[in-house]
Structure formats: C-alpha cells, structure tokens
Amino acid sequence: MIEKKVPLREIYVWQLPVRIFHWVNAGCIFFLIITGLLIAYPPAILQSEGAQQLGYWFAYLRFTHYTLGVILIVNFLVRIYWMFAGNKFARWNNYIPLTKKQWRGIYETLKVDIFLLSPKPIYDIGHNSLAAVTYGGLFMMLIVQAITGLCLWSPTAEVVGAESFESLAFSLGGLMVVKQIHYYMMWMFILFMIIHIYLVFYHDYIERTGIASSIIGGWKFIEEPVAKEYEQELAKENIITQEKEIIKELEKEAKKEEKTQSS
Ligand code: HEM
C-alpha cells in the first residue's frame, strides 16, 4: 500500500448558502428532468380506455413540474445575491474567465481532465478554473430554461406577468420553437450531470482533498504550501482594501477642509 504523508490544512470553502443552493438545484434539476420526460413522452396507459380512472394524474404531474421550476428560479435568485455577498469562492468573478490566471488554470485542467497529458493534479482551493467556467455555462442554461419554461406555462398560468411571457414566446417564433429549445436544453442538463458527477469523483481520487464531501460539509483539506499561498493572497487583498479605505477617508477629510476654508 502506498502512503502519502503531507501536512494538510482544513479550509472552510463552501458556505452554507452555496451548499443549500447546490443540493436544492441538483434535486430540482433531477426531478424536473423526470417530470419533463414524462410530460414529453406520456406513458401509453394514458391513451388506454382505463385512462379516466387515473383522474388528474397528468395535471398533477404538470403542476409538480411548474412548482419545481419556480423553486429552481427562486433558489437561483438567492444564489445570484450570494455571488455578491458570499466569500471569495462563491463570488461571481469565479465563473467568468477574466484573468490570465483563470485561462492558464483552464488550460492546465484540460490537460489533466480531457487530454490526459498530465497525471499531476492541480490544487485549487475553490472551484478549479475549468469547473468554474462550466458552472457559469450552467447558470446561463438555467436562465434560458427558466425563461422558456415560463413562456410555455404562460398560456395557462393565471399569474401576474404571464402575458409578457406569452408575447415573448411569440417574438421567439412561437410556442413550438420555445418547446424545442426547452427540450434540447434538458439534454444539455443531463450531459452536464453525467460529466460533473464523473469529474467530481475523478478529482476526489487524484487530489485527495475531500472534494466530494466538501459540498456537504463545506471543508476541504488543502496541502500546506497551497494553503500558505492562499493566506498570502488574502493578506495582500486585505492590505489593498485597507489602503483603499484609508484613501477614501483622507479624500473625505480633504473635501471637508476645502468646504470649511471656502465658507
Ligand atoms: C443534478 C445534479 C447536479 C447538478 C446540477 C450540480 C451542479 C453544480 C453546480 C452548479 C455547482 C457550482 C456551485 C456554485 O458554485 O454555486 C456544483 C459544484 C459542486 N458539485 Fe455539483 N451538481 C450536481 C450533483 C452533484 C453530485 C451528485 C455531487 C457529488 C458529491 C456533486 C458535487 C459537487 C462538488 C464537490 C462541487 C464543488 C466543487 C467543484 O468546483 O467542482 N454535485 N455542482
């Protein structure tokens, strides 16, 4: 048996709102796919003579699908708020590759995950850059799926604002077009789920940082040199924000002085 003795540090990475978002989102997507597939391909029994005995079965199914859709949207809106209020690992800028460091991270992770060119894992404390970009993509998919879903619901929905989604459906080319987008997007979600779950466990295996359980408890086990680098980065950021605050204070005081001198 090969044993690896490296000093590790526990770091609290995923805050509670991120973890709640993750599991509510995963649960909603899973059951939206099941109910969506049943709506798209109703079981043959519904066309049989005994179908009447099933009562409002199909109506309940559609109601469940709509309700899950609404929960998904509310959950996502809370997560958007947390992208601005949460810690460094939850923030919006993780999901858009704006820096050189992120692009390098994407390239290095592609080498490990897809091209199998490097057996060496890359240690990130939060999301690795490639994972973060795919989550950004998933967030875009959520927006498209939510809008097309609301459009499909709009003709029968008795809620405020339904008419605007009806006219949006019309301008997108009609309900049939919207239905197609909604349907094909569902397959993109299925693809995402398969790849995402595979990669989480693959990274758990190669990195040994407890990544899979981290989305339940929030903690990851990070090698000491990586943790130290992170600490230094945080210290730098703190110094910069402190300096910015001092400059703001000085500017305020200078303005006050200017006012008193002129009056
Ligand atoms: C329907 C299924 C799933 C969906 C749609 C999904 C979606 C997501 C999303 C959107 C994120 C980013 C969260 C954020 O930054 O707010 C994420 C992260 C994560 N998910 Fe999932 N997830 C699913 C299932 C799972 C499962 C079964 C596991 C197994 C443990 C898992 C483990 C993780 C982990 C560890 C992270 C954070 C680490 C990383 O950056 O990859 N997910 N997931």
Side-chain angles (χ1 to χ4, degrees):
M1 198 172 99
I2 304 165
E3 279 186 12
K4 204 171 124 191
K5 268 192 187 164
V6 280
L8 297 173
R9 193 158 352 144
E10 282 179 47
I11 298 188
Y12 186 60
V13 181
W14 316 122
Q15 294 166 299
L16 189 63
V18 173
R19 286 176 281 143
I20 293 177
F21 162 77
H22 180 268
W23 291 112
V24 172
N25 188 49
C28 282
I29 290 178
F30 181 78
F31 287 108
L32 277 162
I33 289 170
I34 305 279
T35 50
L37 282 171
L38 282 169
I39 292 169
Y41 303 105
I45 192 169
L46 287 179
Q47 269 130 48
S48 70
E49 279 183 11
Q52 272 177 348
Q53 284 171 11
L54 291 171
Y56 292 109
W57 187 87
F58 203 73
Y60 289 136
L61 181 70
R62 290 179 65 186
F63 177 74
T64 310
H65 191 79
Y66 296 153
T67 309
L68 286 168
V70 172
I71 296 172
L72 183 92
I73 292 171
V74 173
N75 188 47
F76 183 47
L77 290 177
V78 176
R79 182 66 182 89
I80 291 177
Y81 162 72
W82 202 251
M83 281 182 196
F84 298 91
N87 70 7
K88 187 177 158 60
F89 310 111
R91 244 169 269 155
W92 63 273
N93 53 359
N94 284 286
Y95 308 102
I96 311 168
L98 294 171
T99 63
K100 260 192 190 164
K101 197 179 164 201
Q102 281 169 304
W103 282 106
R104 206 175 324 116
I106 292 173
Y107 172 65
E108 294 298 333
T109 317
L110 276 173
K111 272 191 355 196
V112 176
D113 287 1
I114 311 288
F115 305 119
L116 307 178
L117 288 174
S118 165
K120 269 194 201 160
I122 297 137
Y123 294 104
D124 287 286
I125 298 177
H127 303 303
N128 72 54
S129 302
L130 181 63
V133 173
T134 62
Y135 303 145
L138 185 95
F139 296 151
M140 292 301 132
M141 280 159 60
L142 282 179
I143 294 171
V144 173
Q145 203 67 340
I147 292 174
T148 51
L150 289 171
C151 285
L152 293 173
W153 187 21
S154 61
T156 50
E158 282 165 18
V159 290
V160 189
E163 311 83 44
S164 40
F165 282 97
E166 248 186 297
S167 40
L168 178 64
F170 183 72
S171 53
L172 285 173
L175 281 178
M176 273 322 283
V177 175
V178 174
K179 207 178 253 183
Q180 295 279 325
I181 300 171
H182 201 69
Y183 175 80
Y184 287 113
M185 196 57 91
M186 176 199 68
W187 288 103
M188 300 283 286
F189 277 96
I190 294 174
L191 193 69
F192 169 88
M193 275 163 62
I194 296 168
I195 297 174
H196 173 64
I197 295 170
Y198 161 71
L199 281 180
V200 165
F201 286 100
Y202 175 64
H203 279 266
D204 191 276
Y205 175 69
I206 60 168
E207 286 166 11
R208 323 262 158 113
T209 57
I211 186 175
S213 61
S214 72
I215 202 68
I216 299 170
W219 296 85
K220 273 169 92 172
F221 307 97
I222 305 296
E223 287 191 9
E224 197 53 43
V226 182
K228 271 213 178 114
E229 215 176 277
Y230 166 60
E231 240 174 30
Q232 282 165 357
E233 235 175 67
L234 271 190
K236 243 190 223 167
E237 275 175 24
N238 279 345
I239 290 171
I240 292 170
T241 49
Q242 273 174 4
E243 279 176 353
K244 274 185 187 165
E245 273 166 24
I246 292 170
I247 290 170
K248 256 189 198 170
E249 281 299 312
L250 288 175
E251 277 175 353
K252 258 188 200 171
E253 274 177 26
K255 267 185 192 170
K256 259 188 202 172
E257 243 173 62
E258 248 177 50
K259 262 188 188 173
T260 48
Q261 273 176 3
S262 60
S263 61

